[in-house]
């Protein structure tokens, strides 16, 4: 259960909910699967669909972000997707949201491309919203959610590097490190995974984006 006002998950057009979206679907008694079959949730690239948590999720609601046709997703498309998510969140007065690493599943994008596309898309969305409304967007914080303990450590290292080396032309990052206790737990779980049966835990990181004029 991710504690957040909203959590963003990706969805390929025409496919049944799997992985993160599948877990949400199970909590909602298969309603998302039904909505996909009925055409209520399309999955077109950049399309966003909001589902209230209805007290069944840790998050207040879920934004289902369309990834387009399976096999066509890339860093540029992720940037488009997250631009729309950020614009929607900022326009509705949401100050923070959580997101899975959209596109980082097996056989999809590398972690470096996912982080660049995701964070740059957020920055572009906030900048576009500022241009359209003339008002500073409400969105100030984004939490990246990673269930796998070993990859969590990789995510943390790469986001920290991105926040320092200016690799994100569309966003200024203030990286909020995990607490020492969270980091120690992730390292312990990652070591256990290498030595024995696979284990997983949910870990979170926060990054505070701001649009670059």
């Amino acid at each position: 259960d991710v504690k957040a006002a909203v959590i963003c998950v990706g969805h390929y057009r025409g496919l049944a909910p799997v992985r993160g979206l599948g877990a949400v679907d199970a909590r909602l008694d298969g309603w998302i699967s039904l909505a996909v079959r009925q055409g209520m949730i399309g999955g077109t690239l950049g399309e966003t669909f909001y589902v209230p948590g209805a007290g069944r999720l840790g998050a207040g609601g879920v934004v289902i972000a369309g990834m387009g046709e399976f096999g066509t997703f890339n860093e540029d498309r992720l940037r488009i997707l997250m631009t729309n998510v950020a614009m929607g969140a900022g326009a509705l007065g949401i100050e923070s949201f959580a997101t899975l690493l959209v596109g980082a599943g097996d056989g999809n994008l590398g972690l470096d491309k996912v982080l660049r596309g995701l964070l740059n898309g957020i920055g572009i969305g906030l900048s576009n919203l500022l241009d359209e409304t003339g008002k500073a967007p409400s969105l100030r914080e984004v939490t990246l959610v990673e269930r796998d303990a070993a990859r969590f450590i990789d995510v943390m290292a790469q986001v920290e590097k991105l926040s320092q080396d200016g690799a994100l032309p569309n966003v200024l990052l203030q990286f909020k490190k995990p607490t020492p206790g969270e980091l120690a737990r992730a390292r312990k779980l990652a070591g256990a995974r290498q030595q024995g049966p696979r284990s997983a835990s949910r870990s979170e990181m926060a990054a505070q984006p701001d649009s670059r004029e």
Side-chain angles (χ1 to χ4, degrees), residues 27-87:
R27 287 292 186 92
L28 298 178
D29 296 330
W31 185 87
I32 294 175
S33 292
L34 174 61
V36 170
R37 292 195 300 271
Q38 292 295 114
M40 289 184 277
I41 299 176
T44 301
L45 178 65
E47 175 187 270
T48 59
F49 189 95
Y50 178 77
V51 180
R56 302 183 188 183
L57 305 171
V62 180
V63 171
I64 301 174
M67 300 170 69
E69 301 291 338
F70 182 77
T72 65
F73 200 63
N74 56 28
E75 184 179 337
D76 289 338
R77 288 178 168 238
L78 175 57
R79 187 167 59 247
I80 292 169
L81 180 156
M82 292 309 300
T83 293
N84 288 356
V85 170
M87 288 189 71

Side-chain angles (χ1 to χ4, degrees), residues 4 10 12-13 21 23 27 44 53-54 65 67 74 96 107-108 116 125 129 142 144 157 177 193:
Y12 282 113
R13 180 174 175 82
L21 186 57
R27 287 292 186 92
T44 301
M67 300 170 69
N74 56 28
S96 66
N108 287 322
R116 282 200 309 267
L129 189 60
V142 176
L144 305 181
K177 294 183 179 181
R193 178 183 173 186

Side-chain angles (χ1 to χ4, degrees), residues 98-123:
T99 180
L100 302 187
L101 298 178
V102 179
D106 293 341
N108 287 322
L109 305 180
L111 186 57
D112 57 337
K113 293 181 179 180
V114 168
L115 292 172
R116 282 200 309 267
L118 189 150
L119 295 171
N120 270 324
I122 291 172

Side-chain angles (χ1 to χ4, degrees), residues 140 163 172-177 206-210:
R140 307 301 300 170
S163 70
L172 297 173
L173 286 180
Q174 291 181 333
F175 177 53
K176 184 187 295 182
K177 294 183 179 181
Q208 186 174 10
D210 194 3

